[in-house]
Amino acid sequence: MRFFSIVFFISLSLFANDKAHTFASNEDCKACHPLIYDEFKASMHANSLPQKDAILNAVWAKHPKHLKAERFECGKCHTPAADNLDAMLSSDKKALPDATNPTHDEGISCAYCHRIKSIEHHESSNTNIISQTEKNYYGTLKEHIQSPYHGITSEGNEHIKNGNVCIGCHSHRMNNHKLNVCSTNIDNQMDGANCVSCHMQKVEGSVSNLHERKEHTFHGFAGAHFHSEMLSKYVDISLAREKNGFVINIDNQSSHALLLHPLRTAVLKVIVTRASHKTQLKDEIFVRVLGKDGQPAMPWIADVTLKDTMIQGNEKRSIKYDFALEKGDTVDVTLGWFLVNPQALQKLGLQEDTTSKEFHIFKEMHFSF
Ligand code: HEC
Ligand code: HEC
Ligand code: HEC
Ligand code: HEC
Ligand code: HEC
């Protein structure tokens, strides 16, 4: 078992927090880190703003911070390289997402992430502390050649070393009703595994084109939208035959719940084939429904978790089927998800959005008897 510590800072620290800084643009990295750049550009971190993410756009369209306050408070995590981040985070200002502002378009940018020096813990959400030295990036390479473009700081940053540089944005987010709407268990339970080792695996191809290396760290951030196939090895699916039916066991070996965002819905689909006749058994649904007054509600209105059937971190879930299997039967098992709960599509005006409504296959298994 492996633990890590969050450094608790006094909020008075000199260069604290939530301030807009100037960052080199993603485009600047392309010439020397072309593979990493291409992976990143296709990831949700490069597409984390309303004009590039239809789901965020739909939620933002209904959000009171948009309609009443006209302030993209979400920028703290969604557009942290914005040059007007201060305004986005000041309750007396207005600051909407601006498609014509190139610093908004940077998303969770290369330089931003590589300048996270430390992380302050707060109740509502954590805060990243950004280093003051522009063009000096934290890294983890054991040895490296000099970069003609930027400095490299390998010492003194425990967060990038222990793979927890992500928890400034990912650990939790509490709404005004003190409900944690999105929470990642940040105690990594699996020996040696952490956010980075699971979500940023080593893949073929050089780190830069100035110094040939066999592999680099994948910057496409495997997750619920993209590259989930890289993560399916952390979720085992097995089938055990019983007298009057069978049981499917889902063993989630990751440290956090299978899906984290409350919009998601995971589904287990099971089809039994007997002498070429297919029987589709009842879908098993895994969701976390937030609500108010007993009714499902949007995350900013909700004050309670109405229902949580999501498979938790390190949980082994068994689902029983009272369908007696016979010799010669085959069972096809599919675990996957909808990025947006089908019941919320209409409310969000996402009925026509393919990304939101399509069933995303995570893992398929075939069993024969
Ligand atoms: C403390 C950091 C933080 C803040 C502040 C924040 N978010 Fe997020 N948001 C995240 C993270 C991290 C994810 C990815 C979660 C996941 O995939 O499980 C995310 C994902 C989302 C998604 C899902 C997008 C998709 O493509 O599926 C929506 C919608 C969203 N956020 C809306 C908002 C809105 C609206 C605000 C502001 C009112 C906001 N968020 C503020 C961290 C934050
Ligand atoms: C002119 C070429 C060049 C440009 C432009 C460039 N880099 Fe680098 N970078 C390098 C070289 C060379 C290395 C060292 C590679 C090695 O040793 O294999 C490196 C290494 C790194 C490392 C790894 C440090 C470590 O020790 O782990 C990071 C992080 C990094 N660069 C970030 C960036 C970012 C962010 C940008 C864009 C804002 C960028 N680089 C632009 C050449 C460049
Ligand atoms: C500055 C805040 C921030 C930091 C730091 C950050 N993330 Fe994210 N991350 C986000 C937001 C916001 C989203 C959701 C973007 C969206 O869907 O619009 C996200 C989305 C993701 C996703 C979902 C991708 C998908 O396909 O659905 C993964 C996986 C992820 N981040 C992993 C990481 C890892 C690993 C780290 C640390 C190396 C990290 N993040 C650091 C803010 C951050
Ligand atoms: C043992 C491997 C493992 C570790 C450690 C791990 N994850 Fe995951 N993560 C997964 C798996 C498996 C999934 C589900 C498959 C998917 O979304 O593609 C997932 C999904 C996610 C998602 C998408 C959830 C959604 O609803 O959109 C985010 C975001 C994420 N992880 C962030 C993190 C962060 C941040 C950390 C570190 C605190 C972390 N993960 C640690 C394996 C891991
Ligand atoms: C969400 C945070 C995040 C973003 C965004 C990000 N990186 Fe990284 N990057 C990391 C982490 C964490 C590591 C260390 C991986 C490890 O220890 O295995 C890393 C490693 C690297 C390395 C070291 C070499 C390697 O492959 O291990 C380079 C170079 C690099 N990043 C460049 C970039 C560039 C260029 C971009 C944008 C195109 C970028 N990074 C965007 C988090 C990020």
Side-chain angles (χ1 to χ4, degrees):
M1 208 171 272
R2 201 173 145 225
F3 293 96
F4 66 92
S5 56
I6 304 178
V7 183
F8 286 78
F9 278 88
I10 316 163
S11 302
L12 289 171
S13 62
L14 195 54
F15 299 113
N17 102 41
D18 304 357
K19 268 182 42 182
H21 295 262
T22 308
F23 296 96
S25 86
N26 300 326
E27 208 59 33
D28 282 3
C29 319
K30 190 178 176 179
C32 303
H33 300 293
L35 296 178
I36 292 178
Y37 175 86
D38 286 346
E39 291 160 1
F40 166 79
K41 282 300 271 187
S43 79
M44 286 320 290
H45 285 152
N47 293 285
S48 58
L49 30 144
Q51 69 265 30
K52 289 187 174 169
D53 178 347
I55 302 176
L56 172 60
N57 192 46
V59 172
W60 176 240
K62 296 214 169 309
H63 205 284
K65 284 273 152 36
H66 180 187
L67 302 173
K68 293 201 186 110
E70 296 179 49
R71 190 165 56 81
F72 192 56
E73 197 185 72
C74 329
K76 181 177 181 186
C77 304
H78 283 263
T79 58
D83 58 4
N84 61 340
L85 187 67
D86 311 39
M88 289 178 175
L89 301 176
S90 318
S91 51
D92 58 342
K93 302 233 165 67
K94 291 191 175 162
L96 287 171
D98 178 359
T100 66
N101 180 331
T103 65
H104 290 197
D105 203 48
E106 292 282 300
I108 296 135
S109 75
C110 308
Y112 178 89
C113 206
H114 281 285
R115 280 176 59 192
I116 298 177
K117 189 176 168 202
S118 55
I119 295 163
E120 268 183 9
H121 183 84
H122 294 280
E123 193 185 31
S124 56
S125 70
N126 289 344
T127 296
N128 294 318
I129 306 301
I130 300 302
S131 73
Q132 294 300 305
T133 343
E134 228 181 289
K135 295 209 180 151
N136 203 22
Y137 303 126
Y138 295 111
T140 57
L141 290 173
K142 284 204 183 68
E143 28 74 44
H144 53 79
I145 64 161
Q146 292 298 317
S147 160
Y149 170 80
H150 58 75
I152 293 174
T153 310
S154 310
E155 284 89 46
N157 188 330
E158 58 166 321
H159 292 93
I160 193 153
K161 287 218 164 68
N162 67 16
N164 280 310
V165 63
C166 325
I167 62 171
C169 302
H170 279 271
S171 83
H172 61 284
R173 181 159 127 70
M174 207 176 263
N175 70 10
N176 289 342
H177 313 288
K178 298 231 178 271
L179 179 70
N180 195 347
V181 292
C182 201
S183 150
T184 310
N185 173 18
I186 56 171
D187 287 331
N188 297 306
Q189 308 261 339
M190 206 172 147
D191 251 345
N194 58 48
C195 313
V196 171
S197 69
C198 288
H199 289 280
M200 300 181 74
Q201 296 169 18
K202 300 288 178 227
V203 293
E204 264 178 46
S206 189
V207 165
S208 83
N209 51 14
L210 296 186
H211 178 51
E212 196 50 35
R213 289 184 193 258
K214 282 207 174 57
E215 51 176 34
H216 67 281
T217 307
F218 183 64
H219 276 68
F221 300 94
H225 287 71
F226 303 121
H227 306 291
S228 68
E229 70 286 350
M230 293 177 106
L231 295 166
S232 56
K233 64 181 173 205
Y234 299 114
V235 181
D236 268 352
I237 300 179
S238 61
L239 188 152
R241 220 171 133 180
E242 291 190 334
K243 207 162 164 215
N244 299 313
F246 62 94
V247 174
I248 291 175
N249 295 303
I250 303 176
D251 183 6
N252 178 15
Q253 291 157 9
S254 56
S255 46
H256 58 71
L258 180 66
L259 295 171
L260 301 163
H261 200 277
L263 277 174
R264 319 276 190 240
T265 302
V267 185
L268 182 71
K269 293 178 180 290
V270 180
I271 295 174
V272 183
T273 307
R274 179 172 296 168
S276 77
H277 177 76
K278 291 187 189 304
T279 310
Q280 171 135 28
L281 305 183
K282 190 171 169 290
D283 286 351
E284 186 73 19
I285 313 273
F286 311 102
V287 279
R288 183 162 66 100
V289 182
L290 306 182
K292 187 180 170 63
D293 303 327
Q295 292 298 316
M298 286 294 167
W300 57 90
I301 298 165
D303 56 10
V304 65
T305 301
L306 289 180
K307 175 174 163 186
D308 191 354
T309 56
M310 190 53 75
I311 302 168
Q312 298 304 306
N314 297 295
E315 185 191 339
K316 199 180 250 169
R317 183 74 62 91
S318 301
I319 298 119
K320 262 179 164 320
Y321 295 86
D322 51 7
F323 187 103
L325 294 174
E326 291 175 6
K327 200 164 182 282
D329 286 354
T330 57
V331 184
D332 295 317
V333 177
T334 307
L335 179 63
W337 53 75
F338 296 101
L339 286 172
V340 175
N341 186 330
Q343 297 182 349
L345 282 174
Q346 194 158 6
K347 218 180 200 167
L348 289 168
L350 287 169
Q351 310 92 299
E352 305 303 329
D353 182 60
T354 319
T355 308
S356 306
K357 68 177 186 181
E358 78 186 349
F359 182 64
H360 178 110
I361 294 174
F362 177 52
K363 191 160 188 161
E364 290 176 293
M365 301 287 288
H366 306 279
F367 302 95
S368 307
F369 298 90

